[in-house]
Amino acid sequence: MKRVGIVGLGLIGGSLAKAYKRTQGITVLGSDLDRSIVEFAKLAEAIDGELTDVELINCDCILLAIFPQGVINWVYDKAKKGLLKGTTVIDCAGTKGRVCAELFPMAKEHGFTFVGGHPMAGLHRSGFKFSREDLFDGEPMVIVPPTNDDIRLLDDISTLLKPLGFGRISVATAAEHDEIIAFASQMPHIISNAFVKSPTAPRHKGYSAGSYRDLSRVARLDPDMWTELFLENKEFLLDEFNYFIQAAEKYRDALKDNDPKKLRELLDEGSRIKREVDGP
């Protein structure tokens, strides 16, 4: 691969650009709705230049680090102009269902390859200034190809992503991705965001340590992005809500009933499940 384009230069897109730039021989082009970010990325030597329509046809791979609806809009616009023919496009949005359903047939019709993607790495801060070239090192990447049995396509995608440093690349369907991400990413953000709304929260300093930091870290989020992601995935997310509420009510009832035996059983059960799903 010689030329890669990055659309969206926030935390994820900026980190993608910086990760590719550390590999000699790869030209990195970037675009963002905020033109000042493009200029800043050039000054920071995260990109070699701006990703324009003229440059698109020369890119081996385009990565879209923008919201799901933005991914769909961007691909429709460029595909209808004939700018993506022969190119591989990988999105990095947080949900895959609607994106893949709309863009797999679009790619087939217009002669380019579209693969859904989700780099499983991030920070509680957003924006290009927090992007890092090592953000993805050793972290997992999930891809959603149009078919799971095209070995040549999977090899090509692995080659395109290799400079980013992922520790593991997993293959899933769009539904599998969205179901698991509702539990592994979306619910933790909601729980964290709701947790800090306690009236006790303003008084925590001097009392809190690792437990508070761990649980509240992702409460500081991008409300526009997460609103779109939550609504895109509301069916799976509502299922997780129901599981969580049913479990939480049991703890509340044990406390209300002053039932140490039941409370200990619940705590032991949760500790056991954590060991089983994550290992020692």
Side-chain angles (χ1 to χ4, degrees):
M1 180 173 62
K2 296 182 178 180
R3 295 171 74 86
V4 61
I6 311 292
V7 178
L9 294 172
L11 172 68
I12 298 300
S15 296
L16 292 170
K18 291 177 179 179
Y20 275 117
K21 274 289 288 179
R22 66 186 176 180
T23 301
Q24 289 187 348
I26 296 180
T27 298
V28 181
L29 305 174
S31 67
D32 195 278
L33 290 176
D34 186 342
R35 291 298 303 277
S36 67
I37 298 297
V38 177
E39 295 303 317
F40 187 75
K42 286 194 287 188
L43 289 173
E45 298 185 343
I47 61 175
D48 296 293
E50 184 174 1
L51 179 65
T52 64
D53 284 357
V54 173
E55 296 288 352
L56 272 177
I57 58 175
N58 297 317
C59 288
D60 302 297
C61 181
I62 306 292
L63 288 101
L64 308 177
I66 50 181
F67 296 0
Q69 186 59 54
V71 168
I72 293 170
N73 294 344
W74 188 92
V75 172
Y76 265 69
D77 177 60
K78 305 307 180 185
K80 289 181 178 179
K81 293 177 180 177
L83 300 175
L84 301 179
K85 194 172 183 63
T87 303
T88 297
V89 179
I90 304 172
D91 90 285
C92 298
T95 56
K96 298 276 89 76
R98 190 162 66 91
V99 168
C100 291
E102 295 205 29
L103 297 186
F104 285 154
M106 171 66 71
K108 186 175 182 179
E109 178 184 354
H110 290 274
F112 65 96
T113 299
F114 177 78
V115 173
H118 192 174
M120 304 309 300
L123 301 172
H124 62 280
R125 298 181 183 275
S126 60
F128 178 82
K129 66 180 179 179
F130 296 108
S131 60
R132 304 189 332 227
E133 69 173 32
D134 63 348
L135 184 66
F136 310 111
D137 287 356
E139 301 296 342
M141 172 70 167
V142 181
I143 62 169
V144 179
T147 175
N148 287 355
D149 58 2
D150 188 338
I151 302 302
R152 182 174 180 178
L153 172 61
L154 297 179
D155 285 344
D156 288 345
I157 297 301
S158 294
T159 299
L160 292 171
L161 297 176
K162 186 176 181 180
L164 299 175
F166 290 110
R168 176 182 179 183
I169 297 178
S170 300
V171 179
T173 66
E176 288 170 342
H177 170 276
D178 288 357
E179 180 181 18
I180 296 173
I181 220 66
F183 166 77
S185 177
Q186 294 182 342
M187 273 302 291
H189 279 80
I190 288 178
I191 292 169
S192 181
N193 194 264
F195 169 68
V196 297
K197 294 178 181 179
S198 166
T200 312
R203 297 159 47 208
H204 80 86
K205 292 182 180 178
Y207 295 83
S208 59
S211 297
Y212 172 81
R213 287 195 300 269
D214 290 346
L215 184 54
S216 64
R217 181 180 66 85
V218 293
R220 185 184 299 180
L221 46 69
D222 181 336
D224 293 325
M225 179 181 76
W226 286 100
T227 294
E228 181 173 337
L229 294 177
F230 292 156
L231 291 175
E232 283 276 343
N233 206 29
K234 68 178 182 180
E235 286 80 11
F236 288 126
L237 190 52
L238 285 171
D239 285 342
E240 292 299 332
F241 252 114
N242 290 333
Y243 302 146
F244 178 77
I245 290 170
Q246 290 168 11
E249 285 177 341
K250 293 179 181 179
Y251 292 85
R252 183 197 61 191
D253 292 345
L255 287 168
K256 186 172 61 175
D257 297 339
N258 196 32
D259 187 342
K261 180 180 179 182
K262 183 61 177 177
L263 183 57
R264 190 190 184 285
E265 287 176 355
L266 292 168
L267 294 170
D268 185 59
E269 179 186 38
S271 180
R272 174 180 57 78
I273 292 172
K274 170 66 175 175
R275 291 193 300 271
E276 289 175 354
V277 298
D278 289 350

